[in-house]
Amino acid sequence: MADVAAVAGVSHQTVSRVLNGHASVRGETRERVQEAIEQLGYRRNSAARALATSRSATLGVVTTGSALFGPTSTLIAVEEAARDKGYFVSVATLRTYDTTSMHEALEHFMAQGVDGIVVIAPHDDVAAAVESFRAPVPVVVVAALDERPTVGLTPGDEPSGTMSVAVDQRAGARVATEHLLDLGHADVLHVAGPQDWFDARERAAGWRAALEARGVVPTRPRTCSWSAEDGYRAGRDLAEAVVAGEGPTAVLAGNDQLALGILRALWERGLSVPDDVSVVGFDDVAGAAYFVPPLTTVRQPFATLGAHCVAMVLASLAGRTVAVERIEPELVVRSSTGPPRRA
């Protein structure tokens, strides 16, 4: 920085202001400093900066190694949001979700001196393991932790008070179900994801709440994995029931992959979507608009989710802690939903 200051003919403090984006530097001076930086090939020394500020400018992110759309999109969003704020990201991937593995990952971050941690925790076991760890830095869990998990806590322990941020899965499923009911469907089948996932349980709760609010007694949801293969199996059973005149005329799938499998099964049986059965997915994966027919689905704002994760860590570092945040999803209506066929 001293070399840059000498070449640009300014003070060391002015170079620092330019690097930190302060608005108080005149445009001509800023341009001169930036030309000197380019001429000298100057790069900030992050290790020296960490020593000077007692901050590493690094966030740890724990992920479960899932290739599924939600966890992967969340990881990308957190990394992009952190980079926008001048932070590096160190990632630890868990292959098993036990307390020991989680604590090892968190201890790894403590040894790195990270400023905060984001845990992408789709499973109960992951969230519970985080709750039982006393981290000296802010921890944000990406999960709907309205009810704190206690698995992994020893008797007498209190949860760690981690912060929680999530897309409001319950609200998304409720709006999707209401959309189908508003179209005139008397009932809505729910093909749900695995119930040890927070998102799957919240989506099932939203579906159930929407039906009950309209005076419809919910049937038991069909629980599957998140795969299109399981959606296909559920879709075959649904198709047979519809052909027999016993099936519902609308289905809310736990995610877009399940919806894709359902669409294939209905098509094979010669049923029309949406005339015979309306189908709604969840996630709005890339390509959902090009399913046959284009899929009505619930879009999750992952960029906003990532920004909130980073903002919560930084706010906590500044002494302003927000314990829980929920982000509203958006229903995207396409041609896989419509009024039921009239007899």
mmCIF file of all heavy atoms in Angstrom, residues 13-60:
data_model
loop_
_atom_site.group_PDB
_atom_site.id
_atom_site.type_symbol
_atom_site.label_atom_id
_atom_site.label_comp_id
_atom_site.label_asym_id
_atom_site.label_seq_id
_atom_site.Cartn_x
_atom_site.Cartn_y
_atom_site.Cartn_z
ATOM 1 N N GLN A 13 -3.535 6.510 3.851
ATOM 2 C CA GLN A 13 -4.937 6.511 4.249
ATOM 3 C C GLN A 13 -5.867 6.641 3.037
ATOM 4 O O GLN A 13 -6.943 6.026 2.985
ATOM 5 C CB GLN A 13 -5.204 7.647 5.242
ATOM 6 C CG GLN A 13 -4.605 7.444 6.622
ATOM 7 C CD GLN A 13 -3.116 7.802 6.666
ATOM 8 O OE1 GLN A 13 -2.541 8.245 5.649
ATOM 9 N NE2 GLN A 13 -2.495 7.610 7.822
ATOM 10 N N THR A 14 -5.433 7.423 2.051
ATOM 11 C CA THR A 14 -6.260 7.583 0.853
ATOM 12 C C THR A 14 -6.359 6.278 0.082
ATOM 13 O O THR A 14 -7.433 5.906 -0.415
ATOM 14 C CB THR A 14 -5.687 8.687 -0.059
ATOM 15 O OG1 THR A 14 -5.707 9.914 0.646
ATOM 16 C CG2 THR A 14 -6.504 8.821 -1.338
ATOM 17 N N VAL A 15 -5.247 5.560 -0.022
ATOM 18 C CA VAL A 15 -5.275 4.246 -0.672
ATOM 19 C C VAL A 15 -6.247 3.328 0.058
ATOM 20 O O VAL A 15 -7.045 2.606 -0.550
ATOM 21 C CB VAL A 15 -3.868 3.621 -0.721
ATOM 22 C CG1 VAL A 15 -3.936 2.207 -1.296
ATOM 23 C CG2 VAL A 15 -2.929 4.488 -1.541
ATOM 24 N N SER A 16 -6.200 3.345 1.383
ATOM 25 C CA SER A 16 -7.092 2.510 2.181
ATOM 26 C C SER A 16 -8.548 2.870 1.922
ATOM 27 O O SER A 16 -9.410 1.990 1.792
ATOM 28 C CB SER A 16 -6.768 2.672 3.668
ATOM 29 O OG SER A 16 -7.632 1.885 4.453
ATOM 30 N N ARG A 17 -8.838 4.161 1.824
ATOM 31 C CA ARG A 17 -10.215 4.584 1.561
ATOM 32 C C ARG A 17 -10.692 4.101 0.192
ATOM 33 O O ARG A 17 -11.841 3.678 0.026
ATOM 34 C CB ARG A 17 -10.315 6.113 1.640
ATOM 35 C CG ARG A 17 -10.138 6.686 3.049
ATOM 36 C CD ARG A 17 -10.506 8.159 3.101
ATOM 37 N NE ARG A 17 -10.118 8.750 4.368
ATOM 38 C CZ ARG A 17 -9.025 9.469 4.563
ATOM 39 N NH1 ARG A 17 -8.201 9.704 3.540
ATOM 40 N NH2 ARG A 17 -8.744 9.962 5.757
ATOM 41 N N VAL A 18 -9.812 4.175 -0.799
ATOM 42 C CA VAL A 18 -10.174 3.692 -2.134
ATOM 43 C C VAL A 18 -10.469 2.199 -2.094
ATOM 44 O O VAL A 18 -11.467 1.716 -2.651
ATOM 45 C CB VAL A 18 -9.058 4.008 -3.152
ATOM 46 C CG1 VAL A 18 -9.332 3.302 -4.491
ATOM 47 C CG2 VAL A 18 -8.941 5.509 -3.359
ATOM 48 N N LEU A 19 -9.598 1.436 -1.433
ATOM 49 C CA LEU A 19 -9.779 -0.011 -1.352
ATOM 50 C C LEU A 19 -11.059 -0.388 -0.628
ATOM 51 O O LEU A 19 -11.688 -1.408 -0.933
ATOM 52 C CB LEU A 19 -8.575 -0.645 -0.648
ATOM 53 C CG LEU A 19 -7.255 -0.604 -1.429
ATOM 54 C CD1 LEU A 19 -6.095 -1.045 -0.549
ATOM 55 C CD2 LEU A 19 -7.339 -1.488 -2.670
ATOM 56 N N ASN A 20 -11.473 0.436 0.341
ATOM 57 C CA ASN A 20 -12.677 0.142 1.117
ATOM 58 C C ASN A 20 -13.933 0.807 0.569
ATOM 59 O O ASN A 20 -15.012 0.697 1.169
ATOM 60 C CB ASN A 20 -12.473 0.561 2.586
ATOM 61 C CG ASN A 20 -11.480 -0.347 3.296
ATOM 62 O OD1 ASN A 20 -11.641 -1.559 3.305
ATOM 63 N ND2 ASN A 20 -10.450 0.237 3.897
ATOM 64 N N GLY A 21 -13.784 1.471 -0.586
ATOM 65 C CA GLY A 21 -14.954 2.021 -1.261
ATOM 66 C C GLY A 21 -15.563 3.236 -0.612
ATOM 67 O O GLY A 21 -16.759 3.502 -0.783
ATOM 68 N N HIS A 22 -14.802 4.002 0.131
ATOM 69 C CA HIS A 22 -15.334 5.199 0.775
ATOM 70 C C HIS A 22 -15.725 6.243 -0.275
ATOM 71 O O HIS A 22 -14.998 6.476 -1.257
ATOM 72 C CB HIS A 22 -14.304 5.808 1.733
ATOM 73 C CG HIS A 22 -14.174 5.053 3.015
ATOM 74 N ND1 HIS A 22 -15.056 5.205 4.059
ATOM 75 C CD2 HIS A 22 -13.279 4.111 3.416
ATOM 76 C CE1 HIS A 22 -14.699 4.407 5.057
ATOM 77 N NE2 HIS A 22 -13.621 3.732 4.690
ATOM 78 N N ALA A 23 -16.850 6.894 -0.043
ATOM 79 C CA ALA A 23 -17.361 7.875 -1.002
ATOM 80 C C ALA A 23 -16.646 9.220 -0.885
ATOM 81 O O ALA A 23 -16.838 10.098 -1.737
ATOM 82 C CB ALA A 23 -18.856 8.069 -0.781
ATOM 83 N N SER A 24 -15.822 9.384 0.131
ATOM 84 C CA SER A 24 -15.200 10.689 0.384
ATOM 85 C C SER A 24 -14.004 10.985 -0.527
ATOM 86 O O SER A 24 -13.443 12.076 -0.474
ATOM 87 C CB SER A 24 -14.746 10.769 1.845
ATOM 88 O OG SER A 24 -13.797 9.740 2.132
ATOM 89 N N VAL A 25 -13.590 10.014 -1.346
ATOM 90 C CA VAL A 25 -12.431 10.206 -2.228
ATOM 91 C C VAL A 25 -12.892 10.807 -3.553
ATOM 92 O O VAL A 25 -13.836 10.315 -4.175
ATOM 93 C CB VAL A 25 -11.702 8.864 -2.478
ATOM 94 C CG1 VAL A 25 -10.477 9.083 -3.361
ATOM 95 C CG2 VAL A 25 -11.310 8.213 -1.165
ATOM 96 N N ARG A 26 -12.217 11.867 -4.005
ATOM 97 C CA ARG A 26 -12.573 12.489 -5.273
ATOM 98 C C ARG A 26 -12.348 11.525 -6.427
ATOM 99 O O ARG A 26 -11.450 10.677 -6.384
ATOM 100 C CB ARG A 26 -11.740 13.753 -5.498
ATOM 101 C CG ARG A 26 -12.123 14.909 -4.561
ATOM 102 C CD ARG A 26 -11.346 16.159 -4.932
ATOM 103 N NE ARG A 26 -9.908 15.936 -4.907
ATOM 104 C CZ ARG A 26 -8.999 16.808 -5.331
ATOM 105 N NH1 ARG A 26 -9.398 17.953 -5.874
ATOM 106 N NH2 ARG A 26 -7.716 16.542 -5.241
ATOM 107 N N GLY A 27 -13.157 11.670 -7.470
ATOM 108 C CA GLY A 27 -13.085 10.756 -8.607
ATOM 109 C C GLY A 27 -11.714 10.722 -9.253
ATOM 110 O O GLY A 27 -11.198 9.654 -9.608
ATOM 111 N N GLU A 28 -11.086 11.893 -9.422
ATOM 112 C CA GLU A 28 -9.765 11.965 -10.044
ATOM 113 C C GLU A 28 -8.727 11.237 -9.195
ATOM 114 O O GLU A 28 -7.885 10.497 -9.717
ATOM 115 C CB GLU A 28 -9.365 13.438 -10.216
ATOM 116 C CG GLU A 28 -7.981 13.630 -10.823
ATOM 117 C CD GLU A 28 -7.564 15.104 -10.834
ATOM 118 O OE1 GLU A 28 -8.428 15.974 -10.612
ATOM 119 O OE2 GLU A 28 -6.371 15.356 -11.057
ATOM 120 N N THR A 29 -8.804 11.420 -7.866
ATOM 121 C CA THR A 29 -7.855 10.758 -6.971
ATOM 122 C C THR A 29 -8.078 9.250 -6.989
ATOM 123 O O THR A 29 -7.125 8.462 -7.031
ATOM 124 C CB THR A 29 -8.023 11.288 -5.533
ATOM 125 O OG1 THR A 29 -7.849 12.704 -5.545
ATOM 126 C CG2 THR A 29 -7.021 10.648 -4.600
ATOM 127 N N ARG A 30 -9.344 8.841 -6.963
ATOM 128 C CA ARG A 30 -9.661 7.414 -6.992
ATOM 129 C C ARG A 30 -9.104 6.758 -8.240
ATOM 130 O O ARG A 30 -8.523 5.675 -8.206
ATOM 131 C CB ARG A 30 -11.178 7.218 -6.914
ATOM 132 C CG ARG A 30 -11.629 5.737 -6.807
ATOM 133 C CD ARG A 30 -13.150 5.635 -6.828
ATOM 134 N NE ARG A 30 -13.751 6.453 -5.779
ATOM 135 C CZ ARG A 30 -13.883 6.057 -4.528
ATOM 136 N NH1 ARG A 30 -13.470 4.855 -4.163
ATOM 137 N NH2 ARG A 30 -14.447 6.848 -3.634
ATOM 138 N N GLU A 31 -9.268 7.430 -9.373
ATOM 139 C CA GLU A 31 -8.783 6.898 -10.646
ATOM 140 C C GLU A 31 -7.253 6.771 -10.631
ATOM 141 O O GLU A 31 -6.697 5.774 -11.112
ATOM 142 C CB GLU A 31 -9.228 7.806 -11.784
ATOM 143 C CG GLU A 31 -8.857 7.277 -13.153
ATOM 144 C CD GLU A 31 -9.395 8.163 -14.268
ATOM 145 O OE1 GLU A 31 -10.309 8.978 -13.993
ATOM 146 O OE2 GLU A 31 -8.889 8.050 -15.403
ATOM 147 N N ARG A 32 -6.565 7.757 -10.051
ATOM 148 C CA ARG A 32 -5.106 7.721 -9.978
ATOM 149 C C ARG A 32 -4.630 6.551 -9.107
ATOM 150 O O ARG A 32 -3.672 5.850 -9.460
ATOM 151 C CB ARG A 32 -4.591 9.054 -9.416
ATOM 152 C CG ARG A 32 -3.118 9.293 -9.699
ATOM 153 C CD ARG A 32 -2.744 10.760 -9.570
ATOM 154 N NE ARG A 32 -2.822 11.237 -8.201
ATOM 155 C CZ ARG A 32 -3.693 12.142 -7.783
ATOM 156 N NH1 ARG A 32 -4.566 12.672 -8.634
ATOM 157 N NH2 ARG A 32 -3.704 12.538 -6.520
ATOM 158 N N VAL A 33 -5.318 6.328 -8.003
ATOM 159 C CA VAL A 33 -4.952 5.215 -7.117
ATOM 160 C C VAL A 33 -5.196 3.880 -7.814
ATOM 161 O O VAL A 33 -4.363 2.968 -7.754
ATOM 162 C CB VAL A 33 -5.744 5.299 -5.794
ATOM 163 C CG1 VAL A 33 -5.553 4.018 -4.977
ATOM 164 C CG2 VAL A 33 -5.317 6.521 -4.991
ATOM 165 N N GLN A 34 -6.305 3.780 -8.503
ATOM 166 C CA GLN A 34 -6.620 2.516 -9.186
ATOM 167 C C GLN A 34 -5.626 2.227 -10.312
ATOM 168 O O GLN A 34 -5.264 1.074 -10.553
ATOM 169 C CB GLN A 34 -8.053 2.567 -9.713
ATOM 170 C CG GLN A 34 -9.100 2.481 -8.600
ATOM 171 C CD GLN A 34 -10.509 2.725 -9.078
ATOM 172 O OE1 GLN A 34 -10.737 3.312 -10.149
ATOM 173 N NE2 GLN A 34 -11.480 2.278 -8.300
ATOM 174 N N GLU A 35 -5.165 3.280 -10.998
ATOM 175 C CA GLU A 35 -4.136 3.095 -12.028
ATOM 176 C C GLU A 35 -2.836 2.615 -11.408
ATOM 177 O O GLU A 35 -2.144 1.741 -11.967
ATOM 178 C CB GLU A 35 -3.914 4.412 -12.774
ATOM 179 C CG GLU A 35 -5.060 4.776 -13.711
ATOM 180 C CD GLU A 35 -4.862 6.144 -14.353
ATOM 181 O OE1 GLU A 35 -3.874 6.828 -13.981
ATOM 182 O OE2 GLU A 35 -5.687 6.519 -15.211
ATOM 183 N N ALA A 36 -2.488 3.135 -10.235
ATOM 184 C CA ALA A 36 -1.266 2.699 -9.545
ATOM 185 C C ALA A 36 -1.392 1.244 -9.093
ATOM 186 O O ALA A 36 -0.429 0.476 -9.178
ATOM 187 C CB ALA A 36 -0.999 3.606 -8.348
ATOM 188 N N ILE A 37 -2.568 0.879 -8.621
ATOM 189 C CA ILE A 37 -2.807 -0.511 -8.199
ATOM 190 C C ILE A 37 -2.610 -1.450 -9.382
ATOM 191 O O ILE A 37 -1.953 -2.495 -9.271
ATOM 192 C CB ILE A 37 -4.232 -0.642 -7.612
ATOM 193 C CG1 ILE A 37 -4.297 0.031 -6.236
ATOM 194 C CG2 ILE A 37 -4.649 -2.103 -7.516
ATOM 195 C CD1 ILE A 37 -5.704 0.122 -5.666
ATOM 196 N N GLU A 38 -3.171 -1.068 -10.533
ATOM 197 C CA GLU A 38 -3.049 -1.912 -11.728
ATOM 198 C C GLU A 38 -1.601 -1.966 -12.205
ATOM 199 O O GLU A 38 -1.099 -3.038 -12.585
ATOM 200 C CB GLU A 38 -3.955 -1.359 -12.825
ATOM 201 C CG GLU A 38 -3.986 -2.235 -14.069
ATOM 202 C CD GLU A 38 -4.989 -1.735 -15.091
ATOM 203 O OE1 GLU A 38 -5.841 -0.892 -14.723
ATOM 204 O OE2 GLU A 38 -4.908 -2.169 -16.250
ATOM 205 N N GLN A 39 -0.921 -0.846 -12.173
ATOM 206 C CA GLN A 39 0.472 -0.778 -12.632
ATOM 207 C C GLN A 39 1.378 -1.669 -11.778
ATOM 208 O O GLN A 39 2.254 -2.371 -12.300
ATOM 209 C CB GLN A 39 0.951 0.672 -12.569
ATOM 210 C CG GLN A 39 2.433 0.852 -12.925
ATOM 211 C CD GLN A 39 2.879 2.302 -12.724
ATOM 212 O OE1 GLN A 39 2.068 3.230 -12.744
ATOM 213 N NE2 GLN A 39 4.176 2.503 -12.550
ATOM 214 N N LEU A 40 1.166 -1.662 -10.466
ATOM 215 C CA LEU A 40 2.028 -2.423 -9.545
ATOM 216 C C LEU A 40 1.545 -3.856 -9.322
ATOM 217 O O LEU A 40 2.242 -4.657 -8.713
ATOM 218 C CB LEU A 40 2.102 -1.699 -8.197
ATOM 219 C CG LEU A 40 2.763 -0.314 -8.212
ATOM 220 C CD1 LEU A 40 2.604 0.351 -6.857
ATOM 221 C CD2 LEU A 40 4.237 -0.436 -8.590
ATOM 222 N N GLY A 41 0.325 -4.173 -9.807
ATOM 223 C CA GLY A 41 -0.208 -5.514 -9.567
ATOM 224 C C GLY A 41 -0.497 -5.755 -8.098
ATOM 225 O O GLY A 41 -0.351 -6.872 -7.596
ATOM 226 N N TYR A 42 -0.913 -4.708 -7.399
ATOM 227 C CA TYR A 42 -1.134 -4.817 -5.949
ATOM 228 C C TYR A 42 -2.347 -5.686 -5.638
ATOM 229 O O TYR A 42 -3.383 -5.598 -6.296
ATOM 230 C CB TYR A 42 -1.332 -3.425 -5.352
ATOM 231 C CG TYR A 42 -1.794 -3.460 -3.911
ATOM 232 C CD1 TYR A 42 -0.898 -3.720 -2.882
ATOM 233 C CD2 TYR A 42 -3.127 -3.232 -3.581
ATOM 234 C CE1 TYR A 42 -1.319 -3.759 -1.566
ATOM 235 C CE2 TYR A 42 -3.558 -3.272 -2.269
ATOM 236 C CZ TYR A 42 -2.651 -3.535 -1.256
ATOM 237 O OH TYR A 42 -3.072 -3.580 0.043
ATOM 238 N N ARG A 43 -2.206 -6.556 -4.642
ATOM 239 C CA ARG A 43 -3.312 -7.340 -4.099
ATOM 240 C C ARG A 43 -3.279 -7.237 -2.596
ATOM 241 O O ARG A 43 -2.198 -7.266 -2.001
ATOM 242 C CB ARG A 43 -3.212 -8.822 -4.514
ATOM 243 C CG ARG A 43 -3.308 -9.086 -5.999
ATOM 244 C CD ARG A 43 -4.703 -8.756 -6.532
ATOM 245 N NE ARG A 43 -4.807 -9.063 -7.958
ATOM 246 C CZ ARG A 43 -4.471 -8.244 -8.944
ATOM 247 N NH1 ARG A 43 -3.970 -7.058 -8.657
ATOM 248 N NH2 ARG A 43 -4.621 -8.598 -10.200
ATOM 249 N N ARG A 44 -4.443 -7.147 -1.986
ATOM 250 C CA ARG A 44 -4.502 -7.091 -0.540
ATOM 251 C C ARG A 44 -3.973 -8.378 0.074
ATOM 252 O O ARG A 44 -4.231 -9.477 -0.438
ATOM 253 C CB ARG A 44 -5.953 -6.900 -0.072
ATOM 254 C CG ARG A 44 -6.357 -5.440 0.001
ATOM 255 C CD ARG A 44 -7.763 -5.341 0.535
ATOM 256 N NE ARG A 44 -8.040 -4.004 1.029
ATOM 257 C CZ ARG A 44 -9.234 -3.609 1.436
ATOM 258 N NH1 ARG A 44 -10.244 -4.445 1.400
ATOM 259 N NH2 ARG A 44 -9.405 -2.384 1.892
ATOM 260 N N ASN A 45 -3.242 -8.275 1.158
ATOM 261 C CA ASN A 45 -2.751 -9.426 1.911
ATOM 262 C C ASN A 45 -3.792 -9.749 2.980
ATOM 263 O O ASN A 45 -3.894 -9.061 3.990
ATOM 264 C CB ASN A 45 -1.398 -9.098 2.556
ATOM 265 C CG ASN A 45 -0.776 -10.314 3.215
ATOM 266 O OD1 ASN A 45 -1.470 -11.115 3.824
ATOM 267 N ND2 ASN A 45 0.538 -10.443 3.095
ATOM 268 N N SER A 46 -4.585 -10.801 2.726
ATOM 269 C CA SER A 46 -5.677 -11.119 3.649
ATOM 270 C C SER A 46 -5.164 -11.538 5.017
ATOM 271 O O SER A 46 -5.794 -11.264 6.043
ATOM 272 C CB SER A 46 -6.561 -12.225 3.057
ATOM 273 O OG SER A 46 -5.792 -13.383 2.784
ATOM 274 N N ALA A 47 -3.994 -12.184 5.054
ATOM 275 C CA ALA A 47 -3.443 -12.601 6.350
ATOM 276 C C ALA A 47 -3.043 -11.379 7.180
ATOM 277 O O ALA A 47 -3.316 -11.296 8.382
ATOM 278 C CB ALA A 47 -2.235 -13.508 6.132
ATOM 279 N N ALA A 48 -2.409 -10.404 6.518
ATOM 280 C CA ALA A 48 -2.019 -9.180 7.223
ATOM 281 C C ALA A 48 -3.251 -8.406 7.677
ATOM 282 O O ALA A 48 -3.294 -7.857 8.778
ATOM 283 C CB ALA A 48 -1.160 -8.313 6.320
ATOM 284 N N ARG A 49 -4.256 -8.378 6.834
ATOM 285 C CA ARG A 49 -5.487 -7.679 7.194
ATOM 286 C C ARG A 49 -6.145 -8.327 8.408
ATOM 287 O O ARG A 49 -6.668 -7.648 9.284
ATOM 288 C CB ARG A 49 -6.435 -7.688 5.996
ATOM 289 C CG ARG A 49 -7.670 -6.827 6.196
ATOM 290 C CD ARG A 49 -8.585 -6.937 5.001
ATOM 291 N NE ARG A 49 -9.768 -6.128 5.166
ATOM 292 C CZ ARG A 49 -10.844 -6.235 4.406
ATOM 293 N NH1 ARG A 49 -10.869 -7.122 3.421
ATOM 294 N NH2 ARG A 49 -11.900 -5.465 4.607
ATOM 295 N N ALA A 50 -6.136 -9.672 8.444
ATOM 296 C CA ALA A 50 -6.728 -10.391 9.576
ATOM 297 C C ALA A 50 -5.997 -10.054 10.868
ATOM 298 O O ALA A 50 -6.615 -9.882 11.923
ATOM 299 C CB ALA A 50 -6.690 -11.893 9.312
ATOM 300 N N LEU A 51 -4.659 -9.942 10.796
ATOM 301 C CA LEU A 51 -3.882 -9.592 11.987
ATOM 302 C C LEU A 51 -4.212 -8.181 12.458
ATOM 303 O O LEU A 51 -4.309 -7.911 13.661
ATOM 304 C CB LEU A 51 -2.385 -9.713 11.695
ATOM 305 C CG LEU A 51 -1.831 -11.143 11.584
ATOM 306 C CD1 LEU A 51 -0.386 -11.093 11.095
ATOM 307 C CD2 LEU A 51 -1.922 -11.864 12.922
ATOM 308 N N ALA A 52 -4.401 -7.286 11.516
ATOM 309 C CA ALA A 52 -4.645 -5.893 11.869
ATOM 310 C C ALA A 52 -6.047 -5.666 12.414
ATOM 311 O O ALA A 52 -6.266 -4.806 13.263
ATOM 312 C CB ALA A 52 -4.418 -5.000 10.648
ATOM 313 N N THR A 53 -7.014 -6.436 11.918
ATOM 314 C CA THR A 53 -8.412 -6.211 12.287
ATOM 315 C C THR A 53 -8.960 -7.236 13.253
ATOM 316 O O THR A 53 -10.068 -7.071 13.757
ATOM 317 C CB THR A 53 -9.294 -6.238 11.024
ATOM 318 O OG1 THR A 53 -9.218 -7.547 10.431
ATOM 319 C CG2 THR A 53 -8.859 -5.192 10.015
ATOM 320 N N SER A 54 -8.198 -8.313 13.519
ATOM 321 C CA SER A 54 -8.681 -9.442 14.334
ATOM 322 C C SER A 54 -9.876 -10.123 13.691
ATOM 323 O O SER A 54 -10.674 -10.765 14.362
ATOM 324 C CB SER A 54 -9.037 -8.985 15.757
ATOM 325 O OG SER A 54 -7.894 -8.460 16.404
ATOM 326 N N ARG A 55 -10.002 -9.961 12.383
ATOM 327 C CA ARG A 55 -11.056 -10.628 11.613
ATOM 328 C C ARG A 55 -10.415 -11.325 10.421
ATOM 329 O O ARG A 55 -9.516 -10.773 9.784
ATOM 330 C CB ARG A 55 -12.091 -9.621 11.109
ATOM 331 C CG ARG A 55 -12.909 -8.936 12.216
ATOM 332 C CD ARG A 55 -14.066 -9.817 12.651
ATOM 333 N NE ARG A 55 -14.801 -9.225 13.758
ATOM 334 C CZ ARG A 55 -15.764 -8.329 13.621
ATOM 335 N NH1 ARG A 55 -16.089 -7.905 12.418
ATOM 336 N NH2 ARG A 55 -16.395 -7.866 14.680
ATOM 337 N N SER A 56 -10.906 -12.528 10.119
ATOM 338 C CA SER A 56 -10.341 -13.291 9.004
ATOM 339 C C SER A 56 -11.016 -12.991 7.678
ATOM 340 O O SER A 56 -10.538 -13.404 6.624
ATOM 341 C CB SER A 56 -10.471 -14.787 9.294
ATOM 342 O OG SER A 56 -11.841 -15.186 9.322
ATOM 343 N N ALA A 57 -12.170 -12.284 7.724
ATOM 344 C CA ALA A 57 -12.977 -12.043 6.512
ATOM 345 C C ALA A 57 -13.327 -13.352 5.831
ATOM 346 O O ALA A 57 -13.417 -13.425 4.606
ATOM 347 C CB ALA A 57 -12.257 -11.100 5.550
ATOM 348 N N THR A 58 -13.526 -14.408 6.643
ATOM 349 C CA THR A 58 -13.874 -15.733 6.128
ATOM 350 C C THR A 58 -15.098 -16.250 6.868
ATOM 351 O O THR A 58 -15.190 -16.137 8.090
ATOM 352 C CB THR A 58 -12.717 -16.725 6.314
ATOM 353 O OG1 THR A 58 -11.558 -16.231 5.634
ATOM 354 C CG2 THR A 58 -13.072 -18.093 5.755
ATOM 355 N N LEU A 59 -16.024 -16.807 6.105
ATOM 356 C CA LEU A 59 -17.182 -17.473 6.682
ATOM 357 C C LEU A 59 -17.086 -18.961 6.409
ATOM 358 O O LEU A 59 -16.725 -19.377 5.300
ATOM 359 C CB LEU A 59 -18.486 -16.936 6.086
ATOM 360 C CG LEU A 59 -18.770 -15.442 6.259
ATOM 361 C CD1 LEU A 59 -20.129 -15.106 5.646
ATOM 362 C CD2 LEU A 59 -18.726 -15.042 7.717
ATOM 363 N N GLY A 60 -17.383 -19.766 7.408
ATOM 364 C CA GLY A 60 -17.457 -21.208 7.216
ATOM 365 C C GLY A 60 -18.861 -21.603 6.808
ATOM 366 O O GLY A 60 -19.844 -21.063 7.325
#
